Amino acid sequence: MNRQFKEYPTDARNADIAKLCKKLQDDIDRWRKQQLECWPKLQHFVINQKVIEPENESLYLPSDFQSPVERTDFGLEEAGLLEMQLREGEANDALEAIRLAIKQLALDVQYKKKEVTGQKDSTRAHDELKRKCAARNKYVIKYRQAFRAMIRLGMVEGQTPHKELKDSDLRIKGMTGAGELGEGTKEESWIWSAMFDPSLPVSQRTEWENEFDRVRWFRAKANKDRWEEEIDILEEEFQRTKRSFARMEQVWKALAHVCDDTAEGWGKRAYAHQQVGMYQLLNKRAHGDFLKTKSHKPIPALAGFVAV
């Protein structure tokens, strides 16, 4: 029934759509009047535009003209600066909504895995997840539109906190006690640290958001402590291995000195010196590997987190 309803809207639904289209067209007409009063040079574009649906009509904002020369010719320089500020705010709002939606989805997925059983409840939970994914994707589209507009207005990517939002960025780490295989080598998505204002009052954040971030922070800290402990253990194992190789080198050197000058003794002495060389080489390799591991910087476990 749901599929049929989506593919074949009812008469009432069609009437609602027509009403919304009429309202949108009225808003565009009012905008056209103000637009042509401020920028009469755009009249040529407005008159020659052939669009049937109002939702597909171009508004001819400054971001619709990628060339700075065109914006200058049409007198859109100041409007371009104003649109850049508005687009930046739009991108920030969309990004905040995306972060909130990802948190909600992560909690719902975790709850579904642990608590939901049975076909009926699983289907209902799956439909709810699809609905929330669709809501998240609306904000993703809004951010990408704002980002593309800022690029056309002259924003240089890499010089601002805003970045291209990829599907791989729509994730969050640290939702389960034990991370998935390979998760420790992955860095946190940039969306969790971009434009974060540490001076934001706690009262402006919901209680469950604070609890969510607090749990993630302590899980990340626990992982960090375990990794540091593993590093200490491995370093000590390296040192014990080196001491073991050095000790065996001394043992075989001592055995080489006690061999007599008979043919059999010369053979034993040659074998002892061979063992000495082997343990010297092993000790040298172990020392080199130890220096390599010391030169590697560990991945920051708490990147993107704020202590709450």
Side-chain angles (χ1 to χ4, degrees), residues 206-303:
T206 61
E207 182 179 352
W208 80 268
E209 277 190 281
N210 292 329
E211 183 65 21
F212 182 94
D213 291 338
R214 189 178 294 110
V215 170
R216 291 185 64 226
W217 190 91
F218 280 110
R219 282 178 176 170
K221 185 178 184 302
N223 286 333
K224 172 180 173 292
D225 293 340
R226 283 196 294 269
W227 295 339
E228 289 180 345
E229 183 181 3
E230 284 295 324
I231 291 175
D232 293 338
I233 292 174
L234 289 175
E235 288 182 354
E236 182 56 32
E237 288 181 352
F238 261 115
Q239 297 298 337
R240 286 202 300 267
T241 301
K242 290 171 58 180
R243 288 196 297 268
S244 174
F245 290 153
R247 175 59 181 165
M248 293 303 298
E249 177 187 348
Q250 296 300 323
V251 169
W252 282 105
K253 281 184 178 180
L255 291 175
H257 287 301
V258 299
C259 294
D260 53 29
D261 292 334
T262 62
E264 183 179 357
W266 282 105
K268 292 180 179 179
R269 185 178 292 113
Y271 179 76
H273 285 300
Q274 181 184 16
Q275 294 297 102
V276 169
M278 181 187 70
Y279 282 110
Q280 285 179 342
L281 179 61
L282 290 174
N283 195 358
K284 183 178 180 181
R285 288 180 178 176
H287 182 70
D289 292 339
F290 177 72
L291 294 179
K292 288 180 182 179
T293 57
K294 291 287 287 185
S295 63
H296 290 173
K297 295 182 179 180
I299 298 176
L302 303 182

Side-chain angles (χ1 to χ4, degrees), residues 115-140:
E115 305 295 338
V116 178
T117 58
Q119 182 177 359
K120 180 180 178 181
D121 292 339
S122 296
T123 302
R124 183 177 299 173
H126 181 70
D127 292 340
E128 180 66 16
L129 290 176
K130 287 178 61 177
R131 185 185 66 80
K132 291 188 176 181
C133 281
R136 179 204 62 188
N137 292 339
K138 290 181 180 179
Y139 294 114
V140 171

Side-chain angles (χ1 to χ4, degrees), residues 136-137 140 144 165-171:
R136 179 204 62 188
N137 292 339
V140 171
R144 288 172 175 170
L165 184 62
K166 302 177 182 178
D167 291 341
S168 58
D169 295 323
L170 305 176
R171 56 182 173 81

Side-chain angles (χ1 to χ4, degrees), residues 20-22 24-25 28 51-59:
L20 292 174
C21 289
K22 178 64 169 57
L24 177 60
Q25 187 63 62
I28 293 177
V51 178
I52 299 177
E53 299 84 1
E55 62 269 21
N56 295 326
E57 187 171 346
S58 176
L59 297 179

